[in-house]
Amino acid sequence: MKLNIEGLLVYFPYDYIYPEQYSYMLELKRTLDAKGHGVLEMPSGTGKTISLLSLIIAYQRAFPLEVTKLIYCSRTVPEIEKVIEELRKLMEFYSKETGESNNFLALALSSRKNLCIHPEVSSLRFGKEVDGKCHSLTASYIRAQRHSNPNLPVCRFYEEFDAVGRQVPLPPGVYNLDDLKDFGRRKGWCPYYLARYSILHANIVVYSYHYLLDPKIADLVSKELAKKSVVVFDEAHNIDNVCIDSMSVNITRRTLDRCQNNVDTLQNTIHKIKETDAAKLREEYRRLVEGLKEANVARETDIYLANPVLPDEILQEAVPGTIRTAEHFVGFLRRFLEYLKSRLRVQHVVQESAPQFLKDIFDKVCIDRKPLRFCAERLQSLLRTLEIADIADFSAVTLISNFATLVSTYSQGFTIIIEPFEDRTPTIANPVLHFSCMDPSIAIKPVFQRFQSVIITSGTLSPLDIYPRILDFRPVTMASFTMTLARTCLCPLIVGRGNDQVALSSKFETREDFAVIRNYGNLLLEMSAIVPDGIVAFFTSYVYMENIVASWYEQGILENIQRNKLIFIETQDAAETSMALEKYQEACENGRGAILLSVARGKVSEGIDFVHHFGRAVIMFGVPYVYTQSRILKARLEYLRDQFQIRENDFLTFDAMRHAAQCVGRAIRGKTDYGLMIFADKRYARADKRGKLPRWIQEHINDGSLNLTVDEAVQLAKHFLRQMAQPFRQEDQLGLSLLTLEQLQSEEMLQKITQIAHQT
Amino acid sequence: MDEEPERAKRWEGGYERTWEVLKEDESGSLKATVEEILFQSKRKRCVYVCVCVLIMRHLYVVIDCSRSMEDQDLKPNRLTSTLKLMEAFVDEYFDQNPISQVCLHRNPKKHIAALKKAVDTVCVGEPSLYNSLNQALQSLKHMPGHTSREILIILSSLTTCDPANIYELIKTLKSLKVRVSVIGLSAEVRVCTVLTRETGGLYHVILDESHFKELLMMHVKPPPASSSSECSLIRMGFPQHTVAALTDQDAKPSFSMSHLDSSSGPGLSLGGYFCPQCHAKYTELPVECKVCGLTLVSAPHLARSFHHLFPLQAFVESPLEELQGDRYCQACQGELKDKSIFTCTSCHSVFCVECDVFIHDTLHCCPCCIHSQVTPL
């Protein structure tokens, strides 16, 4: 289908289009026209990905000078693969319609672990091992050493790529990870380095968030991406947490021990080198005096993406004299390490700001702020000079040096919390130093500054206005799209009372209440009798789930449920969980029926879709508030209040509701799908909670579905399920929620479409 | 669960929102909606397609008697309601398909008796789709290829406890061309969707009791024949009903062969149908002769089955305003008041909705066409 989006010719590879897709593309086009950033919310299963791709590629073709590259960031490898498949379909459609092969290059990029084809290296199990091993084969000085000693091991794929790969660009086409590997095998080139090199001139790059947000990786991979790129963050409802995680550092006693070993190794290596090759160290010294000018020039001329770990001021200066020689620097690291060790020997919780920490470190061990700031850069330089092959071993010292740089660079937005033990196990000493980032905008700022358009999109971004506030940017468009439906295929019910009128709630005071637990059990039991196939139930935390399930077992509720359906439980162990999931799906498939008990914010609630019969109902037991007693959270809330004027309660509710929306959204993955969404807590009925749900769910909550008893909910659910079981064909959707080109062009429909996007 | 509650009162039953189906029109009246609903439901059954069908059917009905049948969302409970509807179904079934079988018995009376007995069954435990399908399959397997092999499952439960992989069984069913249809009483279950899709059957879930009846009646009509099903000639006997004259002194009452295996029913009778091949006596037709295996039917039975082969063309629906001339239904002579009328494609006679339904469901031929054929004579 060829669409006309405000004068832009868009090829859309399907015969039918959802009205909201059209509306989405309109908004997207306006964002690109304005060269600004956008926040767009559209329910999952309405073809967000293809709308994004179709429009942005059409834009790229129409205005090749305005938009040169699309950077599509997704969360997991399967999601990346899905995007590439959609893209392939679109490209095939292009070449079919235009009759010419287009010269678009699109590729996915992932870690070495997913791309390596070296027989030995790729057989390693952990990503870190693969990275380390790869580094030990391909680092420049290793390869230099090989000239004198040809017996050293070699990665022939890298050598081949290095010899010819850079001259011959990757032929145009769409490459997923397997395609890259195949191509690499055929040519004998390393697919990982090929991909990393090719993203510089590719038209479309699909990779993980971390390649752009995590300063350590972004510096390697994304530094040189063109400014005129469009960046898309898909499934971005958790983007603030990703940003925060990428900037936070946790230091335990184990980290320090490993760091100690690292420092010892460094010292030994320096000794050895001094005897054999003192000139090398002198050369490094000279370079450090010259400063980091090169990098500075590159950044100023707009070639590099800024790195928040490496602030601008540092680049203009030379490394301070106190840590310029290798021995001095190692001595400096030792002192710093000893200081950290002494800090971890505490009996009570300490919380302090970065300036307080700096003052303390100056008083105690006379470490100045300035050398600390250069710590990360200095360590990198040293590791390069010492020609250390296996970088992976040095992760501990790298972590410490990053911490040193961050703590001395940012006086705001971070907090230091030292806890002598975990809250749950106050008797076991397990001291941790949390250096925690409270401001997600620090990590994402360079992205917003550098790239022309950044689009943040997801199925659940409500309330929309909070994201620009916590990420500190100014979007040109903010819109939430509803799902146009030929039949109401989602049925949100808020169950607030048990049959005995006991208020259902997971709030702290009633958490242990027997009556509440019994009523929750009753709800699950009744639902298990009327909902076919699969039910997914979410609890607010593992602890809460364990308590409730144990109590249900004692009361005999579990036994009754098991007559209707089998029960599976998500645990913190990933292998166990995936096993449970597999069996759950099997039970749904062969008609026995199953219930999956899982936890909001867990693995199941984020990445796994329960299409059709795998999730006919989702029950959310309680409001999934984050653990509010955590000191890190408290510090963050305080920061949000002071810096962004966001009240604690607003943020907590927002956070809880986005997770609840994520959980219940698992069940509806398209317009032919249907599912019950049961919110089992009376607090959901309040306007402040309900109002924070995505618009496409909110629309279907009417006054009749608020504060129901279990019985009432069962009756409504029964009715809904029978309605939904009636035959539903594509013709029923046509003209309402599914349009042909002619239908789309009608005046009346265009009028309707303008109402779909809800601007805030 | 030792407390077995006595039958709950109507007001103790579930919470229902019966009013939600109804919508008010602009003037606040419900009349239009109600009429619309009625009209739609009348019309729904009148969609006829001309297909080749099998007129000899072997249908195996499986009724779920698990715990969930005790549910009271159908009144008084699911089981009783189902059995009541099944009685009607059996009657209708034999009326429309006289030479077919349900559960390998030809005698409708027997079925109804069995159904009545089943009302008192206590529903316990979980059902097994696998076991029931397997059992039905064992019997249907031996049916000849020119007949249809069908299983109709009335499933109330949402779960099935199977001893083996049901997908293997579905493959077997498919290869043996057994058509499995399911009527669900509560909600759509995945395995049934797959089962019916694979075997070419129908899968429906009821909305309420009247919908349930409608769905059941849908199964009365024979399924379309697949091109691969065999055709063959069948030997049939057409016995005449003979009654020994009361005056005949030699007449002796005799037993009907069909009552041999059951203790119920009348024992001795004077008249009956006698198999033309072996002269065994039967009191009712159609039946398969117990002695020589000949299929015994009467001519009207065959005729009744034939209308499936030559169904009456659907009438054309058009709005009332377009009609010129007298606004009277050709069949009932009543005034046409509904907003749509129906025209026969061959004789262009006009009918009202009620007559349209009656002609297609019961008469199976257009009275005006027949009338015009007869007149020249």
Side-chain angles (χ1 to χ4, degrees):
Chain A
M1 172 177 340
K2 287 184 218 169
L3 302 167
N4 175 6
I5 310 270
E6 289 187 345
L8 180 72
L9 174 68
V10 174
Y11 285 80
F12 191 76
Y14 297 100
D15 293 336
Y16 303 103
I17 186 170
Y18 295 142
E20 54 270 38
Q21 286 181 314
Y22 183 80
S23 174
Y24 188 86
M25 288 197 242
L26 272 179
E27 291 298 328
L28 196 57
K29 162 130 195 318
R30 285 173 196 159
T31 318
L32 297 186
D33 280 341
K35 293 194 170 60
H37 310 314
V39 180
L40 303 172
E41 178 187 59
M42 184 155 93
S44 44
T46 49
K48 216 167 23 222
T49 308
I50 193 66
S51 318
L52 270 167
L53 293 173
S54 308
L55 188 102
I56 296 178
I57 287 168
Y59 205 91
Q60 245 176 313
R61 282 171 60 99
F63 310 101
L65 295 176
E66 301 287 317
V67 173
T68 53
K69 195 190 288 286
L70 163 64
I71 306 170
Y72 195 107
C73 303
S74 203
R75 279 188 314 185
T76 57
V77 173
E79 273 168 22
I80 290 173
E81 297 272 342
K82 251 195 277 178
V83 175
I84 290 284
E85 287 322 305
E86 290 277 9
L87 198 56
R88 198 188 301 276
K89 220 177 275 169
L90 179 64
M91 285 304 167
E92 272 161 21
F93 184 71
Y94 260 105
S95 44
K96 205 179 87 194
E97 286 292 309
T98 55
E100 57 196 50
S101 61
N102 48 42
N103 47 2
F104 260 67
L105 174 61
L107 59 97
L109 177 64
S110 181
S111 65
R112 287 187 180 85
K113 184 177 177 295
N114 294 324
L115 277 174
C116 185
I117 52 171
H118 188 281
E120 278 168 42
V121 180
S122 59
S123 62
L124 293 169
R125 277 186 56 213
F126 298 104
K128 264 193 185 151
E129 287 175 358
V130 177
D131 288 353
K133 188 80 181 162
C134 177
H135 194 81
S136 71
L137 291 176
T138 58
S140 55
Y141 42 83
I142 300 280
R143 296 176 56 233
Q145 277 172 21
R146 207 170 293 127
H147 285 299
S148 50
N149 179 8
N151 292 335
L152 285 171
V154 58
C155 173
R156 61 188 167 90
F157 298 104
Y158 182 78
E159 294 301 324
E160 191 70 21
F161 166 73
D162 197 50
V164 286
R166 283 183 229 274
Q167 279 85 42
V168 193
L170 197 61
V174 180
Y175 297 86
N176 66 16
L177 299 178
D178 283 336
D179 296 337
L180 282 170
K181 275 176 161 173
D182 280 348
F183 185 81
R185 277 200 198 96
R186 242 179 324 170
K187 295 268 187 179
W189 295 352
C190 170
Y192 174 73
Y193 281 98
L194 178 68
R196 254 178 67 175
Y197 176 71
S198 301
I199 63 170
L200 294 179
H201 59 264
N203 302 86
I204 299 154
V205 183
V206 186
Y207 60 27
S208 148
Y209 279 17
H210 298 280
Y211 287 96
L212 214 50
L213 292 180
D214 193 331
K216 289 149 260 169
I217 313 173
D219 209 33
L220 285 176
V221 179
S222 311
K223 197 156 70 168
E224 293 172 56
L225 292 182
K227 190 172 165 36
K228 285 183 176 173
S229 305
V230 176
V231 178
V232 175
F233 289 106
D234 197 1
E235 303 290 328
H237 46 271
N238 262 346
I239 196 167
D240 53 325
N241 291 337
V242 177
C243 291
I244 283 177
D245 286 346
S246 71
M247 297 292 283
S248 298
V249 180
N250 291 332
I251 299 172
T252 60
R253 207 168 258 168
R254 244 185 98 223
T255 329
L256 294 181
D257 290 343
R258 278 177 39 224
C259 190
Q260 183 79 49
N261 290 340
N262 290 163
V263 174
D264 290 344
T265 327
L266 281 178
Q267 182 132 38
N268 292 339
T269 328
I270 291 169
H271 271 298
K272 246 182 271 165
I273 286 209
K274 225 171 177 188
E275 284 157 17
T276 57
D277 197 1
K280 200 182 260 171
L281 288 175
R282 275 201 299 280
E283 162 66 17
E284 187 199 20
Y285 186 88
R286 196 192 53 75
R287 219 172 50 224
L288 292 174
V289 176
E290 298 249 313
L292 305 157
K293 290 213 179 89
E294 238 172 88
N296 186 31
V297 170
R299 193 179 286 182
E300 271 179 0
T301 49
D302 228 12
I303 300 173
Y304 283 178
L305 171 73
N307 181 347
V309 182
L310 208 64
D312 283 332
E313 310 90 83
I314 291 192
L315 297 175
Q316 285 152 12
E317 296 172 48
V319 172
T322 44
I323 56 170
R324 234 176 264 168
T325 63
E327 288 111 328
H328 288 170
F329 180 60
V330 171
F332 169 85
L333 277 181
R334 270 186 199 287
R335 251 188 303 154
F336 184 56
L337 205 56
E338 284 309 318
Y339 172 74
L340 288 179
K341 276 186 187 164
S342 75
R343 289 305 303 267
L344 279 187
R345 278 193 289 270
V346 287
Q347 296 304 317
H348 57 276
V349 179
V350 179
Q351 178 173 0
E352 59 189 22
S353 65
Q356 273 173 317
F357 181 85
L358 288 176
K359 184 169 183 318
D360 191 56
I361 197 170
F362 183 73
D363 291 346
K364 295 240 172 80
V365 289
C366 297
I367 289 183
D368 220 351
R369 182 171 171 226
K370 200 167 173 196
L372 270 182
R373 286 173 81 178
F374 287 87
C375 200
E377 196 53 30
R378 181 66 187 91
L379 181 73
Q380 290 310 316
S381 161
L382 184 67
L383 289 178
R384 268 200 301 274
T385 316
L386 298 182
E387 301 182 352
I388 285 165
D390 207 345
I391 292 280
D393 287 346
F394 285 83
S395 58
V397 72
T398 317
L399 190 78
I400 300 288
S401 67
N402 276 339
F403 164 63
T405 304
L406 284 171
V407 77
S408 51
T409 307
Y410 295 98
S411 54
Q412 274 209 329
F414 289 86
T415 189
I416 297 163
I417 295 167
I418 307 170
E419 286 178 318
F421 43 75
E422 272 182 55
D423 270 356
R424 286 185 199 123
T425 51
T427 49
I428 305 162
N430 178 24
V432 187
L433 185 148
H434 301 281
F435 177 66
S436 130
C437 175
M438 296 181 298
D439 190 349
S441 67
I442 294 174
I444 204 170
K445 199 173 192 167
V447 177
F448 281 123
Q449 276 176 349
R450 178 167 176 83
F451 297 109
Q452 165 176 317
S453 288
V454 179
I455 312 291
I456 289 183
T457 186
S458 172
T460 50
L461 281 178
S462 294
L464 288 180
D465 57 327
I466 204 155
Y467 283 90
R469 276 161 81 192
I470 57 178
L471 298 178
D472 195 20
F473 72 105
R474 201 163 287 193
V476 291
T477 43
M478 280 204 280
S480 171
F481 304 86
T482 52
M483 178 144 61
T484 51
L485 290 171
R487 55 171 191 177
T488 41
C489 68
L490 52 143
C491 177
L493 300 172
I494 297 176
V495 182
R497 292 166 293 149
N499 287 340
D500 47 5
Q501 303 300 324
V502 170
L504 292 181
S505 177
S506 70
K507 67 177 177 209
F508 189 70
E509 297 82 51
T510 61
R511 193 167 282 186
E512 307 284 312
D513 192 342
F514 239 53
V516 173
I517 296 179
R518 191 189 57 233
N519 273 311
Y520 272 154
N522 201 20
L523 172 66
L524 189 61
L525 175 61
E526 300 257 327
M527 284 297 161
S528 73
I530 59 153
V531 177
D533 300 326
I535 298 180
V536 191
F538 287 101
F539 294 85
T540 52
S541 68
Y542 284 108
V543 184
Y544 188 52
M545 175 165 81
E546 279 160 25
N547 284 343
I548 285 202
V549 172
S551 174
W552 284 349
Y553 176 73
E554 281 163 21
Q555 296 174 14
I557 294 174
L558 275 195
E559 199 187 329
N560 286 336
I561 292 176
Q562 262 173 328
R563 280 196 212 158
N564 298 325
K565 291 190 191 304
L566 302 180
I567 299 176
F568 297 93
I569 297 183
E570 180 192 5
T571 62
Q572 268 148 319
D573 183 340
E576 251 175 39
T577 304
S578 61
M579 177 72 141
L581 248 159
E582 200 180 296
K583 293 289 163 197
Y584 167 80
Q585 290 177 337
E586 200 183 310
C588 293
E589 195 69 53
N590 66 25
R592 179 65 180 88
I595 296 176
L596 184 66
L597 303 178
S598 48
V599 170
R601 294 161 201 276
K603 181 172 168 255
V604 171
S605 71
E606 278 291 325
I608 291 153
D609 293 347
F610 295 96
V611 263
H612 295 290
H613 57 290
F614 293 131
R616 283 294 180 221
V618 177
I619 306 178
M620 186 74 234
F621 289 112
V623 185
Y625 279 115
V626 63
Y627 175 60
T628 46
Q629 297 307 304
S630 144
R631 290 183 186 82
I632 300 175
L633 180 76
K634 277 183 180 162
R636 187 172 173 205
L637 289 176
E638 216 165 277
Y639 184 81
L640 283 172
R641 191 189 55 209
D642 296 346
Q643 295 294 315
F644 300 116
Q645 287 78 48
I646 298 170
R647 278 181 302 159
E648 285 101 329
N649 237 331
D650 281 353
F651 182 79
L652 285 176
T653 314
F654 150 74
D655 186 62
M657 292 314 284
R658 72 171 161 182
H659 279 102
Q662 262 305 302
C663 291
V664 296
R666 296 288 106 199
I668 306 270
R669 307 316 282 180
K671 292 192 175 184
T672 52
D673 204 351
Y674 64 88
L676 285 161
M677 301 174 164
I678 298 168
F679 297 91
D681 194 308
K682 78 169 201 259
R683 289 175 289 174
Y684 283 111
R686 284 195 217 146
D688 68 316
K689 305 276 186 307
R690 212 159 22 109
K692 287 193 170 68
L693 283 173
R695 194 164 149 244
W696 56 276
I697 298 180
Q698 241 185 84
E699 270 186 342
H700 297 280
I701 304 181
N702 48 22
D703 289 344
S705 51
L706 296 177
N707 202 14
L708 302 167
T709 65
V710 172
D711 251 3
E712 288 165 341
V714 165
Q715 289 307 322
L716 285 175
K718 250 185 189 174
H719 182 72
F720 170 76
L721 287 168
R722 283 200 175 136
Q723 286 283 330
M724 287 299 119
Q726 302 311 312
F728 183 61
R729 291 152 307 154
Q730 197 189 34
E731 298 92 75
D732 300 332
Q733 283 196 48
L734 264 182
L736 280 170
S737 60
L738 193 66
L739 305 175
T740 60
L741 191 55
E742 295 86 61
Q743 284 167 330
L744 182 66
Q745 278 157 350
S746 73
E747 251 336 282
E748 193 190 348
M749 190 45 81
L750 290 174
Q751 197 102 77
K752 253 190 218 163
I753 284 174
T754 51
Q755 290 162 11
I756 291 173
H758 179 80
Q759 309 277 346
T760 43
Chain B
M1 291 287 219
D2 45 0
E3 36 142 8
E4 184 64 54
E6 50 185 294
R7 180 124 306 152
K9 300 288 182 291
R10 184 75 179 78
W11 57 87
E12 289 174 342
Y15 162 79
E16 287 166 76
R17 296 186 169 194
T18 43
W19 59 89
E20 279 196 351
V21 192
L22 303 174
K23 281 193 200 86
E24 290 183 2
D25 63 7
E26 280 153 22
S27 56
S29 153
L30 288 172
K31 203 172 161 230
T33 346
V34 176
E35 273 176 3
E36 184 68 18
I37 293 170
L38 282 176
F39 187 74
Q40 288 301 330
S41 64
K42 269 183 206 155
R43 207 37 210 152
K44 220 180 281 166
R45 288 173 65 191
C46 312
V47 185
Y48 303 94
V49 215
C50 201
V51 279
C52 178
V53 296
L54 289 159
I55 58 167
M56 276 192 89
R57 304 172 65 187
H58 287 108
L59 178 70
Y60 213 106
V61 182
V62 178
I63 300 175
D64 173 5
C65 282
S66 66
R67 198 153 35 87
S68 57
M69 274 310 243
E70 299 277 6
D71 205 317
Q72 294 176 351
D73 52 358
L74 300 174
K75 308 299 171 204
N77 70 6
R78 283 188 188 173
L79 183 70
T80 321
S81 167
T82 307
L83 293 175
K84 214 164 64 205
L85 288 173
M86 279 310 296
E87 283 175 29
F89 171 74
V90 169
D91 274 343
E92 183 90 350
Y93 180 85
F94 281 107
D95 186 47
Q96 303 253 330
N97 310 282
I99 52 174
S100 301
Q101 301 188 0
V102 179
C103 293
L104 308 178
H105 291 290
R106 285 232 173 127
N107 191 327
K109 274 189 191 154
K110 263 190 196 169
H111 291 293
I112 289 169
L115 287 172
K116 284 210 170 108
K117 231 184 270 171
V119 175
D120 303 326
T121 321
V122 182
C123 300
V124 283
E126 283 88 26
S128 168
L129 210 50
Y130 184 92
N131 287 344
S132 49
L133 281 175
N134 204 19
Q135 205 187 341
L137 182 67
Q138 294 312 325
S139 332
L140 282 177
K141 206 152 63 172
H142 309 292
M143 292 301 123
H146 59 265
T147 61
S148 75
R149 302 164 180 170
E150 294 169 64
I151 302 176
L152 172 64
I153 302 176
I154 311 240
L155 192 66
S156 152
S157 172
L158 293 171
T159 174
T160 151
C161 291
D162 298 334
N165 188 354
I166 193 154
Y167 286 88
E168 294 296 318
L169 189 66
I170 292 176
K171 262 186 223 153
T172 322
L173 287 168
K174 199 180 171 188
S175 64
L176 288 171
K177 297 201 190 70
V178 180
R179 184 176 186 267
V180 187
S181 297
V182 181
I183 296 181
L185 298 191
S186 26
E188 181 189 359
V189 181
R190 174 67 181 184
V191 73
C192 297
T193 319
V194 176
L195 173 67
T196 50
R197 195 180 57 210
E198 289 297 310
T199 58
L202 299 169
Y203 183 33
H204 292 285
V205 175
I206 63 159
L207 288 172
D208 48 33
E209 201 163 334
S210 60
H211 189 224
F212 188 13
K213 189 169 178 190
E214 212 170 277
L215 291 178
L216 262 182
M217 290 315 159
M218 223 152 76
H219 289 277
V220 168
K221 253 170 74 78
S226 57
S227 52
S228 59
S229 60
E230 301 165 33
C231 300
S232 58
L233 294 170
I234 314 158
R235 267 174 81 98
M236 281 188 181
F238 294 88
Q240 281 198 327
H241 191 249
T242 45
V243 184
L246 282 172
T247 49
D248 190 351
Q249 293 296 313
D250 294 339
K252 295 182 192 74
S254 56
F255 287 106
S256 157
M257 290 301 282
S258 58
H259 292 302
L260 278 185
D261 48 353
S262 63
S263 50
S264 64
L268 292 163
S269 61
L270 280 173
Y273 299 96
F274 291 89
C275 173
Q277 219 164 219
C278 62
H279 290 281
K281 187 180 110 167
Y282 296 94
T283 44
E284 272 159 345
L285 288 184
V287 73
E288 190 173 300
C289 179
K290 286 233 158 76
V291 180
C292 61
L294 188 68
T295 308
L296 304 180
V297 291
S298 69
H301 285 145
L302 263 191
R304 280 211 305 255
S305 287
F306 268 166
H307 74 255
H308 295 301
L309 290 176
F310 311 105
L312 184 57
Q313 288 285 322
F315 291 168
V316 180
E317 183 179 354
S318 53
L320 181 62
E321 291 82 52
E322 284 178 20
L323 178 68
Q324 272 119 35
D326 294 338
R327 295 193 164 176
Y328 287 101
C329 169
Q330 293 283 340
C332 63
Q333 300 299 317
E335 199 184 340
L336 291 167
K337 285 180 200 145
D338 288 322
K339 55 188 171 192
S340 314
I341 53 160
F342 300 89
T343 319
C344 172
T345 43
S346 50
C347 69
H348 303 289
S349 310
V350 181
F351 300 98
C352 64
V353 194
E354 277 84 8
C355 292
D356 175 51
V357 174
F358 176 71
I359 288 168
H360 278 98
D361 285 355
T362 317
L363 286 184
H364 303 294
C365 54
C366 169
C368 295
C369 292
I370 302 238
H371 186 64
S372 60
Q373 274 172 9
V374 173
T375 345
L377 287 174

